[in-house]
């Protein structure tokens, strides 16, 4: 017998046939059970199908969702600290007011993924595909984007990225508005057809940056830790007075 508990300790669902928490959760979803407040801490949910499932105020700290189908899944006010989403399919997944410090999205597909007001310092997006990705007013400080791609009309608006690892990050057709990139670092960064002009870049250490058709804040040119490769082209450095004051 497997029980899924509410965060307050009350039983939320009991399965007499399931052998694992994953199987019991899949059974509960099939029966149309609301998972609001579900306690799934440290649960191994690898490969689970959560298509169009809403997890509101759920506790998935330390949960493993490796290779899971999370298409159109919605997380609202949920705790996802140290959760593992590696190689998950997260097309059209939404995170609203969630805590995700040190969560891992390595090699995940985050197509049209949306995050708003999330606290996610130290999160890893290594080698992840972020197409049409949107993050609003969220904290992704000290995140790792090593080898990731951020492209096709992606938007980062009022996002804290201070101290983030941008090693081998490829950015294309991306709006980076009023973001904090201070103390971010990395080499072999490729940025094309994107706008960083309203973001702060104090103390950045970007080495071997290839830029084409990009707008940067003028202060980036004065950062001693930044170098552009010779083939960079169509780079504009926008003075502070030209930047928008609000979003």
């Amino acid at each position: 017998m497997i029980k899924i508990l509410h965060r307050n300790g009350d039983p939320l669902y009991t399965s007499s046939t399931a052998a694992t928490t994953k199987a019991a959760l899949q059974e509960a979803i099939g029966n149309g059970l609301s998972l609001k407040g579900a306690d799934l801490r440290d649960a191994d949910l690898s490969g689970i199908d959560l298509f169009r499932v809403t997890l509101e105020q759920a506790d998935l700290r330390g949960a493993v969702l490796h290779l899971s189908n999370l298409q159109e899944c919605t997380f609202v006010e949920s705790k996802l600290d140290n959760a593992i989403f590696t190689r998950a399919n997260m097309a059209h997944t939404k995170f609203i007011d969630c805590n995700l410090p040190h969560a891992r999205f390595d090699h995940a597909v985050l197509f049209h993924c949306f995050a708003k007001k999330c606290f996610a310092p130290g999160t890893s997006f290594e080698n992840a595909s972020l197409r049409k990705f949107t993050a609003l007013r969220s904290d992704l400080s000290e995140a790792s984007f090593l080898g990731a791609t951020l492209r096709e009309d992606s938007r980062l608006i009022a996002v804290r990225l201070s101290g983030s690892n941008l090693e081998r990050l490829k950015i294309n057709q991306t709006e980076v508005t009023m973001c904090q990139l201070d103390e971010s670092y990395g080499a072999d960064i490729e940025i094309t057809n994107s706008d960083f002009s309203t973001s702060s870049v104090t103390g950045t250490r970007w080495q071997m940056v290839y830029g084409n058709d990009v707008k940067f804040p003028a202060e980036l040119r004065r950062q001693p830790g930044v170098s552009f490769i010779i083939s960079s082209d169509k780079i504009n450095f926008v003075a502070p007075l030209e930047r928008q004051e609000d979003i």
Side-chain angles (χ1 to χ4, degrees), residues 4-12 37 39 41:
I4 296 175
L5 302 179
H6 190 276
R7 291 195 310 182
N8 63 15
D10 292 339
L12 195 63
D39 185 349
R41 285 174 293 174

Side-chain angles (χ1 to χ4, degrees), residues 128-235:
S129 175
L130 299 100
R131 294 170 49 213
K132 298 184 184 295
F133 175 83
T134 298
L136 307 176
R137 300 187 182 277
S138 296
D139 187 345
L140 296 176
S141 55
E142 299 184 2
S144 177
F145 292 89
L146 189 152
T149 57
L150 183 64
R151 57 196 175 99
E152 293 182 26
D153 300 316
S154 289
R155 298 188 306 150
L156 304 179
I157 301 176
V159 174
R160 186 179 180 186
L161 294 159
S162 305
S164 291
N165 178 5
L166 310 183
E167 186 87 8
R168 300 200 310 274
L169 173 63
K170 294 184 178 180
I171 302 174
N172 178 255
Q173 289 182 301
T174 297
E175 174 191 348
V176 184
T177 301
M178 300 294 286
C179 292
Q180 296 177 27
L181 290 153
D182 308 314
E183 305 295 336
S184 59
Y185 62 94
D188 298 319
I189 304 167
E190 183 178 313
I191 307 173
T192 57
N193 193 23
S194 298
D195 190 349
F196 288 69
S197 61
T198 62
S199 295
S200 62
V201 293
T202 303
T204 51
R205 298 175 309 245
W206 299 354
Q207 296 294 308
M208 298 298 290
V209 180
Y210 169 78
N212 189 354
D213 195 14
V214 186
K215 290 182 180 180
F216 288 120
E219 63 181 303
L220 182 67
R221 188 165 43 185
R222 297 188 291 272
Q223 300 304 313
V226 175
S227 68
F228 289 89
I229 61 176
I230 295 174
S231 57
S232 297
D233 191 21
K234 296 181 182 178
I235 296 177

Side-chain angles (χ1 to χ4, degrees), residues 18-35:
T20 64
T21 299
K22 172 185 169 182
L25 183 61
Q26 202 79 74
E27 184 180 298
I29 293 168
N31 291 332
L33 176 75
S34 169
L35 297 175

